[in-house]
Amino acid sequence: MNLTDEFTLKCLCGSPVFLDDICAIYPATLREIVTVGYDTFWQYLQVLIAEKPVLDNKEDNELAKLLNDLSDFQYFLVMTSMDKEVNQKAKESFRFFTHESVTFSLDPAQIVVGPLQEKHLLTEEMFYEMRRILKRMYWVEQQEGEEIIIYEDDLPSVKALKMQMKKNRERVAKAKAKKKQQEGTDLKMSDLIASVAVGNCDLNIENIWNITYYAFHDQLRRMGWRDQFNINNRAALAGAKLKKSQLKHWIKSIASDDKKE
């Protein structure tokens, strides 16, 4: 999913993003997320974007082989058919993000969105597209990088490489989380919201709940750019020697900034 200006504008203002004629995906406001529960919101998001677990053959040869043969889409459908809790959480997730009910099917492997007779089919390819939209809309892809997708028809060597890439990414994510915890920089959502509300950007503790989750994180990042730009400017006027890049104006593209991270 490309971060086009049309997509960004929809996420900022709260307009739905349409996935062909299958369904609409809605950018939730902070109020909607707090109402359902922030932890519940993350559970909803994770159940739809989670990748299948990476197992070493040493851990469980039979289970590892089974997982290796499944694509992420197939793994999702297997879990919804085997685990009632996962099934319920997945249905609640679709209701939250698409405002539609869904029916899961293993054979054929597909998800029917809305009434069965209308046949809005979410196939494997479109399932991955939906996940890309969700990751962009809720600032997951910006943090974790492009999604590693294991397709059913991937060659065994390609599957093995992708599995190793996933394992490496999990290790990096765990290391970063541990470092944040040690440094005391693991801020909670409540800390971020309260900080933006006093950040002199016309958002306060009363109206901030009406903006989308995407808009909130966009504003948070831009507020940081603006403050850093002002600090650097004052330092330069005081005689400090700074790089040209440190004096570039704070109004810039979110997309181009993501590419640098």
Side-chain angles (χ1 to χ4, degrees):
M1 178 71 196
N2 295 323
L3 190 61
T4 62
D5 198 43
E6 179 182 358
F7 177 84
T8 304
L9 288 170
K10 286 179 178 290
C11 292
L12 286 170
C13 79
S15 294
V17 175
F18 291 95
L19 185 61
D20 287 350
D21 64 346
I22 302 168
C23 64
I25 302 171
Y26 292 83
T29 64
L30 295 183
R31 186 181 305 280
E32 290 170 327
I33 290 171
V34 170
T35 298
V36 75
Y38 187 63
D39 290 341
T40 300
F41 156 72
W42 268 108
Q43 290 172 10
Y44 286 167
L45 188 59
Q46 288 301 319
V47 77
L48 294 183
I49 67 173
E51 299 172 354
K52 67 180 183 180
V54 179
L55 295 180
D56 289 323
N57 289 334
K58 296 177 183 178
E59 296 178 27
D60 190 324
N61 283 331
E62 189 174 341
L63 182 58
K65 184 180 184 305
L66 176 63
L67 286 175
N68 285 339
D69 290 339
L70 294 176
S71 66
D72 286 333
F73 180 64
Q74 291 170 325
Y75 174 76
F76 174 81
L77 291 178
V78 167
M79 290 303 296
T80 58
S81 68
M82 294 177 58
D83 191 315
K84 289 183 178 179
E85 186 176 339
V86 173
N87 183 288
Q88 182 62 32
K89 189 68 68 177
K91 287 181 177 179
E92 291 175 6
S93 303
F94 271 97
R95 173 68 70 179
F96 183 80
F97 292 114
T98 71
H99 301 179
E100 297 277 4
S101 59
V102 293
T103 304
F104 303 119
S105 169
L106 267 177
D107 187 18
Q110 63 187 23
I111 300 169
V112 184
V113 182
L116 291 173
Q117 62 271 22
E118 294 184 8
K119 297 182 180 179
H120 296 296
L121 304 180
L122 189 66
T123 60
E124 181 163 7
E125 180 182 356
M126 298 312 295
F127 177 75
Y128 295 138
E129 183 65 15
M130 180 197 70
R131 298 206 314 185
R132 293 186 189 101
I133 292 173
L134 286 172
K135 285 186 174 186
R136 282 294 185 182
M137 189 175 283
Y138 293 100
W139 289 82
V140 178
E141 198 163 277
Q142 285 92 335
Q143 301 169 17
E144 297 182 359
E146 292 297 329
E147 183 180 13
I148 301 170
I149 300 174
I150 298 177
Y151 294 99
E152 182 181 4
D153 56 356
D154 280 343
L155 293 172
S157 58
V158 175
K159 283 186 178 182
L161 177 60
K162 288 182 176 180
M163 292 289 281
Q164 186 59 51
M165 291 169 66
K166 284 188 175 187
K167 188 179 295 185
N168 293 340
R169 180 173 290 181
E170 286 178 5
R171 289 171 179 166
V172 171
K174 287 180 181 178
K176 285 184 177 179
K178 185 177 181 180
K179 183 179 180 182
K180 280 186 177 182
Q181 189 175 22
Q182 291 173 341
E183 294 175 348
T185 56
D186 193 12
L187 297 175
K188 295 181 175 63
M189 186 64 174
S190 56
D191 298 318
L192 299 177
I193 290 175
S195 298
V196 171
V198 297
N200 192 28
C201 59
D202 290 331
L203 288 171
N204 55 54
I205 205 63
E206 292 184 357
N207 65 21
I208 195 170
W209 310 105
N210 299 323
I211 67 173
T212 65
Y213 185 88
Y214 184 95
F216 169 74
H217 279 279
D218 179 274
Q219 291 297 288
L220 181 66
R221 183 173 291 195
R222 293 182 190 279
M223 187 177 73
W225 293 344
R226 181 196 61 190
D227 290 348
Q228 190 60 54
F229 173 77
N230 291 336
I231 291 170
N232 289 344
N233 257 353
R234 288 196 294 270
L237 290 173
K241 293 183 178 180
L242 301 175
K243 298 177 181 178
K244 286 185 178 180
S245 60
Q246 292 177 287
L247 295 173
K248 293 182 74 172
H249 200 271
W250 61 272
I251 298 178
K252 56 185 177 180
S253 167
I254 286 285
S256 61
D257 191 68
D258 286 337
K259 292 175 183 176
K260 294 190 302 180
E261 294 185 352

